Amino acid sequence: MEDCVFCKIIKGEIPSEKVYEDEDILAFNDINPAAPIHVLIIPKKHIKNLMEFKPEDYKLMEKILATVQKVAQKVGVDEKGFRLISNCGPDSGQEVMHVHFHLLAGRKMGPKIVH
Ligand code: AMP
């Protein structure tokens, strides 16, 4: 998608602080962190949001789950814990229309959704 900021990050046209990358998935630090650790985990395939996953994309969700675990270990919060959020659609406040998962950690999360 030509005007998608995350597709541009995947192509290297916009710089990012990469935390993890393989052929299907990229994880990088959020530019405007809402917590001391704020990593975005995205599939390289352009999918708008969770509702746009087709059955043929479900394998990607397995890889995303595995990546969440790898990233949590890599940034050292697998034991202390983290919050995982994916905004989907207008009421959620989704701003970037390329499905992504916010991994938030490094402080106690309040009972409210923080992002
Ligand atoms: P959402 O509101 O769930 O769509 O979240 C989009 C997230 O993308 C926000 O937390 C932004 O700070 C983040 N973001 C936007 N542009 C960039 C960028 N160039 N590099 C890293 N994170 C970004």
Side-chain angles (χ1 to χ4, degrees), residues 19-20 27 29 37-41 63-84 101-106:
V19 178
Y20 174 84
N29 287 325
I37 295 168
H38 187 166
V39 180
L40 299 174
I41 297 160
K63 288 204 78 173
I64 288 167
L65 172 58
T67 305
V68 168
Q69 294 173 338
K70 281 179 199 157
V71 168
Q73 283 168 345
K74 191 164 184 182
V75 302
V77 300
D78 50 319
E79 296 288 336
K80 292 191 84 171
F82 56 88
R83 181 171 282 170
L84 189 70
F101 296 82
H102 299 257
L103 188 152
L104 296 153

CSV table of all heavy atoms in Angstrom, one decimal, residues 19-20 27 29 37-41 63-84 101-106:
chain,number,residue,atom,x,y,z
A,19,VAL,N,13.1,-4.3,16.6
A,19,VAL,CA,13.3,-5.1,17.8
A,19,VAL,C,13.4,-6.6,17.3
A,19,VAL,O,14.1,-7.4,17.9
A,19,VAL,CB,12.2,-5.0,18.8
A,19,VAL,CG1,12.3,-5.9,19.9
A,19,VAL,CG2,12.1,-3.5,19.2
A,20,TYR,N,12.7,-6.9,16.2
A,20,TYR,CA,12.7,-8.3,15.7
A,20,TYR,C,12.2,-8.2,14.2
A,20,TYR,O,11.3,-7.4,13.9
A,20,TYR,CB,11.7,-9.2,16.5
A,20,TYR,CG,11.6,-10.6,15.9
A,20,TYR,CD1,12.5,-11.6,16.2
A,20,TYR,CD2,10.5,-10.8,15.0
A,20,TYR,CE1,12.3,-12.8,15.6
A,20,TYR,CE2,10.4,-12.1,14.4
A,20,TYR,CZ,11.3,-13.1,14.7
A,20,TYR,OH,11.2,-14.3,14.1
A,27,ALA,N,8.9,-6.1,14.2
A,27,ALA,CA,8.6,-5.5,15.5
A,27,ALA,C,9.5,-4.3,15.6
A,27,ALA,O,10.7,-4.5,15.4
A,27,ALA,CB,8.7,-6.5,16.6
A,29,ASN,N,10.1,-0.2,17.7
A,29,ASN,CA,9.7,0.7,18.8
A,29,ASN,C,8.7,1.7,18.3
A,29,ASN,O,8.9,2.3,17.2
A,29,ASN,CB,10.9,1.4,19.5
A,29,ASN,CG,11.7,0.5,20.3
A,29,ASN,OD1,11.2,-0.4,20.9
A,29,ASN,ND2,13.0,0.7,20.3
A,37,ILE,N,8.5,0.7,27.7
A,37,ILE,CA,8.7,-0.3,26.6
A,37,ILE,C,7.4,-0.2,25.8
A,37,ILE,O,6.3,-0.5,26.4
A,37,ILE,CB,9.0,-1.7,27.1
A,37,ILE,CG1,10.3,-1.7,27.8
A,37,ILE,CG2,8.9,-2.7,26.0
A,37,ILE,CD1,10.6,-3.0,28.6
A,38,HIS,N,7.5,0.1,24.5
A,38,HIS,CA,6.3,0.2,23.7
A,38,HIS,C,6.7,-0.3,22.3
A,38,HIS,O,7.3,0.5,21.5
A,38,HIS,CB,5.7,1.6,23.6
A,38,HIS,CG,4.4,1.7,22.9
A,38,HIS,ND1,3.6,2.8,23.0
A,38,HIS,CD2,3.8,0.9,22.1
A,38,HIS,CE1,2.5,2.7,22.2
A,38,HIS,NE2,2.6,1.5,21.7
A,39,VAL,N,6.5,-1.5,22.0
A,39,VAL,CA,6.9,-2.2,20.7
A,39,VAL,C,5.6,-2.4,19.9
A,39,VAL,O,4.6,-2.9,20.4
A,39,VAL,CB,7.6,-3.5,21.0
A,39,VAL,CG1,8.1,-4.1,19.7
A,39,VAL,CG2,8.9,-3.2,21.9
A,40,LEU,N,5.7,-2.1,18.6
A,40,LEU,CA,4.6,-2.5,17.7
A,40,LEU,C,5.0,-3.7,16.9
A,40,LEU,O,6.1,-3.8,16.4
A,40,LEU,CB,4.4,-1.3,16.7
A,40,LEU,CG,4.0,0.0,17.3
A,40,LEU,CD1,3.9,1.1,16.2
A,40,LEU,CD2,2.6,-0.1,18.0
A,41,ILE,N,4.1,-4.7,16.8
A,41,ILE,CA,4.3,-5.9,16.1
A,41,ILE,C,3.4,-6.0,15.0
A,41,ILE,O,2.2,-5.9,15.2
A,41,ILE,CB,4.1,-7.1,17.1
A,41,ILE,CG1,5.2,-7.0,18.2
A,41,ILE,CG2,4.3,-8.5,16.4
A,41,ILE,CD1,4.8,-7.8,19.5
A,63,LYS,N,2.2,-16.7,13.9
A,63,LYS,CA,3.5,-16.2,13.9
A,63,LYS,C,3.5,-14.9,14.8
A,63,LYS,O,4.6,-14.6,15.5
A,63,LYS,CB,4.0,-15.8,12.5
A,63,LYS,CG,4.3,-17.0,11.7
A,63,LYS,CD,5.3,-16.7,10.6
A,63,LYS,CE,6.7,-16.6,11.1
A,63,LYS,NZ,7.7,-16.4,9.9
A,64,ILE,N,2.5,-14.1,14.8
A,64,ILE,CA,2.4,-12.9,15.6
A,64,ILE,C,2.5,-13.3,17.1
A,64,ILE,O,3.2,-12.7,17.9
A,64,ILE,CB,1.1,-12.1,15.3
A,64,ILE,CG1,1.3,-11.4,13.9
A,64,ILE,CG2,0.9,-11.0,16.3
A,64,ILE,CD1,0.1,-10.8,13.3
A,65,LEU,N,1.7,-14.3,17.4
A,65,LEU,CA,1.7,-14.8,18.8
A,65,LEU,C,3.1,-15.3,19.2
A,65,LEU,O,3.7,-14.9,20.3
A,65,LEU,CB,0.8,-16.0,19.0
A,65,LEU,CG,0.8,-16.7,20.4
A,65,LEU,CD1,0.5,-15.7,21.5
A,65,LEU,CD2,-0.2,-17.8,20.4
A,66,ALA,N,3.8,-16.0,18.4
A,66,ALA,CA,5.2,-16.4,18.6
A,66,ALA,C,6.1,-15.2,18.8
A,66,ALA,O,7.0,-15.2,19.6
A,66,ALA,CB,5.7,-17.4,17.6
A,67,THR,N,5.8,-14.2,17.9
A,67,THR,CA,6.7,-13.0,18.0
A,67,THR,C,6.4,-12.2,19.3
A,67,THR,O,7.4,-11.7,19.9
A,67,THR,CB,6.4,-12.1,16.8
A,67,THR,OG1,6.6,-12.9,15.6
A,67,THR,CG2,7.3,-10.9,16.7
A,68,VAL,N,5.2,-12.2,19.7
A,68,VAL,CA,4.9,-11.5,21.0
A,68,VAL,C,5.8,-12.1,22.1
A,68,VAL,O,6.4,-11.4,22.9
A,68,VAL,CB,3.4,-11.6,21.4
A,68,VAL,CG1,3.2,-11.2,22.8
A,68,VAL,CG2,2.6,-10.8,20.4
A,69,GLN,N,5.8,-13.5,22.1
A,69,GLN,CA,6.6,-14.1,23.1
A,69,GLN,C,8.1,-13.9,23.0
A,69,GLN,O,8.8,-13.6,24.0
A,69,GLN,CB,6.4,-15.7,23.1
A,69,GLN,CG,4.9,-16.0,23.4
A,69,GLN,CD,4.6,-17.5,23.2
A,69,GLN,OE1,5.2,-18.2,22.5
A,69,GLN,NE2,3.6,-18.0,23.9
A,70,LYS,N,8.6,-13.9,21.7
A,70,LYS,CA,10.0,-13.6,21.5
A,70,LYS,C,10.4,-12.2,21.9
A,70,LYS,O,11.4,-11.9,22.5
A,70,LYS,CB,10.3,-13.8,20.0
A,70,LYS,CG,10.5,-15.2,19.6
A,70,LYS,CD,10.8,-15.2,18.0
A,70,LYS,CE,10.5,-16.6,17.5
A,70,LYS,NZ,10.3,-16.6,16.1
A,71,VAL,N,9.5,-11.2,21.5
A,71,VAL,CA,9.8,-9.8,21.8
A,71,VAL,C,9.8,-9.6,23.4
A,71,VAL,O,10.6,-8.9,23.9
A,71,VAL,CB,8.8,-8.9,21.1
A,71,VAL,CG1,8.9,-7.4,21.7
A,71,VAL,CG2,9.0,-8.9,19.6
A,72,ALA,N,8.8,-10.2,24.0
A,72,ALA,CA,8.7,-10.1,25.5
A,72,ALA,C,10.0,-10.6,26.2
A,72,ALA,O,10.5,-10.0,27.1
A,72,ALA,CB,7.5,-10.8,26.0
A,73,GLN,N,10.5,-11.7,25.6
A,73,GLN,CA,11.7,-12.2,26.2
A,73,GLN,C,12.9,-11.3,25.9
A,73,GLN,O,13.7,-11.0,26.7
A,73,GLN,CB,12.0,-13.6,25.6
A,73,GLN,CG,11.1,-14.7,26.3
A,73,GLN,CD,11.2,-16.0,25.6
A,73,GLN,OE1,11.6,-16.1,24.4
A,73,GLN,NE2,10.7,-17.1,26.2
A,74,LYS,N,12.9,-10.8,24.6
A,74,LYS,CA,14.0,-10.0,24.2
A,74,LYS,C,14.1,-8.7,25.0
A,74,LYS,O,15.2,-8.2,25.3
A,74,LYS,CB,13.9,-9.7,22.7
A,74,LYS,CG,15.1,-9.1,22.1
A,74,LYS,CD,15.1,-9.2,20.5
A,74,LYS,CE,16.4,-8.6,20.0
A,74,LYS,NZ,16.3,-8.6,18.5
A,75,VAL,N,13.0,-8.1,25.3
A,75,VAL,CA,13.0,-6.8,26.0
A,75,VAL,C,12.9,-7.1,27.5
A,75,VAL,O,12.9,-6.1,28.3
A,75,VAL,CB,11.9,-5.8,25.5
A,75,VAL,CG1,12.1,-5.5,24.0
A,75,VAL,CG2,10.5,-6.3,25.8
A,76,GLY,N,12.9,-8.3,27.9
A,76,GLY,CA,13.0,-8.7,29.3
A,76,GLY,C,11.8,-8.5,30.2
A,76,GLY,O,11.9,-8.2,31.4
A,77,VAL,N,10.6,-8.7,29.6
A,77,VAL,CA,9.4,-8.5,30.3
A,77,VAL,C,8.5,-9.8,30.3
A,77,VAL,O,7.3,-9.7,30.7
A,77,VAL,CB,8.5,-7.3,29.8
A,77,VAL,CG1,9.4,-6.0,30.0
A,77,VAL,CG2,8.1,-7.5,28.4
A,78,ASP,N,9.1,-10.9,29.9
A,78,ASP,CA,8.3,-12.1,29.8
A,78,ASP,C,7.9,-12.6,31.2
A,78,ASP,O,6.8,-13.2,31.4
A,78,ASP,CB,9.1,-13.3,29.1
A,78,ASP,CG,10.5,-13.4,29.7
A,78,ASP,OD1,11.2,-12.4,30.0
A,78,ASP,OD2,11.0,-14.6,29.8
A,79,GLU,N,8.7,-12.2,32.3
A,79,GLU,CA,8.3,-12.6,33.6
A,79,GLU,C,7.5,-11.5,34.3
A,79,GLU,O,6.4,-11.8,34.9
A,79,GLU,CB,9.5,-12.9,34.5
A,79,GLU,CG,10.4,-14.1,34.0
A,79,GLU,CD,9.7,-15.4,34.3
A,79,GLU,OE1,8.9,-15.5,35.2
A,79,GLU,OE2,10.0,-16.4,33.6
A,80,LYS,N,7.9,-10.3,34.1
A,80,LYS,CA,7.2,-9.1,34.8
A,80,LYS,C,5.8,-8.8,34.2
A,80,LYS,O,4.9,-8.4,34.9
A,80,LYS,CB,8.0,-7.9,34.7
A,80,LYS,CG,9.3,-8.0,35.6
A,80,LYS,CD,10.0,-6.6,35.7
A,80,LYS,CE,9.4,-5.8,36.9
A,80,LYS,NZ,10.1,-4.6,37.2
A,81,GLY,N,5.7,-9.1,32.9
A,81,GLY,CA,4.4,-8.9,32.3
A,81,GLY,C,4.3,-7.7,31.3
A,81,GLY,O,5.2,-6.8,31.3
A,82,PHE,N,3.3,-7.7,30.6
A,82,PHE,CA,3.0,-6.6,29.6
A,82,PHE,C,1.6,-6.6,29.2
A,82,PHE,O,0.8,-7.5,29.6
A,82,PHE,CB,3.9,-6.9,28.3
A,82,PHE,CG,3.7,-8.2,27.7
A,82,PHE,CD1,2.7,-8.4,26.8
A,82,PHE,CD2,4.4,-9.3,28.1
A,82,PHE,CE1,2.5,-9.7,26.2
A,82,PHE,CE2,4.2,-10.6,27.6
A,82,PHE,CZ,3.3,-10.8,26.6
A,83,ARG,N,1.2,-5.6,28.5
A,83,ARG,CA,-0.2,-5.5,27.9
A,83,ARG,C,-0.1,-5.5,26.4
A,83,ARG,O,0.8,-4.9,25.8
A,83,ARG,CB,-0.8,-4.2,28.4
A,83,ARG,CG,-2.3,-4.0,27.9
A,83,ARG,CD,-2.9,-2.9,28.6
A,83,ARG,NE,-3.3,-3.2,30.0
A,83,ARG,CZ,-3.8,-2.3,30.9
A,83,ARG,NH1,-3.8,-1.1,30.6
A,83,ARG,NH2,-4.1,-2.8,32.1
A,84,LEU,N,-1.0,-6.2,25.8
A,84,LEU,CA,-1.0,-6.3,24.3
A,84,LEU,C,-2.4,-5.8,23.8
A,84,LEU,O,-3.4,-6.2,24.3
A,84,LEU,CB,-0.9,-7.8,23.9
A,84,LEU,CG,-0.7,-8.0,22.4
A,84,LEU,CD1,0.7,-7.6,22.0
A,84,LEU,CD2,-0.8,-9.5,22.1
A,101,PHE,N,0.0,-4.6,16.8
A,101,PHE,CA,-0.2,-5.0,18.1
A,101,PHE,C,0.8,-4.2,19.0
A,101,PHE,O,2.0,-4.3,18.8
A,101,PHE,CB,0.0,-6.5,18.3
A,101,PHE,CG,-1.0,-7.3,17.5
A,101,PHE,CD1,-0.8,-7.6,16.2
A,101,PHE,CD2,-2.1,-7.8,18.1
A,101,PHE,CE1,-1.7,-8.3,15.4
A,101,PHE,CE2,-3.1,-8.5,17.4
A,101,PHE,CZ,-2.9,-8.7,16.1
A,102,HIS,N,0.2,-3.5,19.9
A,102,HIS,CA,1.0,-2.7,20.9
A,102,HIS,C,1.4,-3.6,22.0
A,102,HIS,O,0.6,-4.1,22.7
A,102,HIS,CB,0.2,-1.5,21.4
A,102,HIS,CG,-0.3,-0.5,20.5
A,102,HIS,ND1,0.3,0.7,20.3
A,102,HIS,CD2,-1.4,-0.6,19.6
A,102,HIS,CE1,-0.4,1.4,19.4
A,102,HIS,NE2,-1.4,0.7,19.0
A,103,LEU,N,2.8,-3.8,22.2
A,103,LEU,CA,3.2,-4.4,23.4
A,103,LEU,C,3.7,-3.3,24.4
A,103,LEU,O,4.7,-2.6,24.1
A,103,LEU,CB,4.3,-5.4,23.1
A,103,LEU,CG,4.8,-6.4,24.2
A,103,LEU,CD1,5.3,-7.7,23.7
A,103,LEU,CD2,5.9,-5.7,25.1
A,104,LEU,N,3.0,-3.2,25.5
A,104,LEU,CA,3.3,-2.1,26.4
A,104,LEU,C,3.8,-2.7,27.7
A,104,LEU,O,3.2,-3.7,28.2
A,104,LEU,CB,2.0,-1.3,26.7
A,104,LEU,CG,1.4,-0.6,25.5
A,104,LEU,CD1,-0.1,-0.4,25.7
A,104,LEU,CD2,2.1,0.8,25.3
A,105,ALA,N,4.9,-2.2,28.2
A,105,ALA,CA,5.5,-2.8,29.4
A,105,ALA,C,6.4,-1.8,30.1
A,105,ALA,O,6.6,-0.6,29.6
A,105,ALA,CB,6.2,-4.0,29.1
A,106,GLY,N,7.0,-2.2,31.2
A,106,GLY,CA,8.0,-1.4,31.9
A,106,GLY,C,7.5,-0.5,33.0
A,106,GLY,O,8.2,0.2,33.6
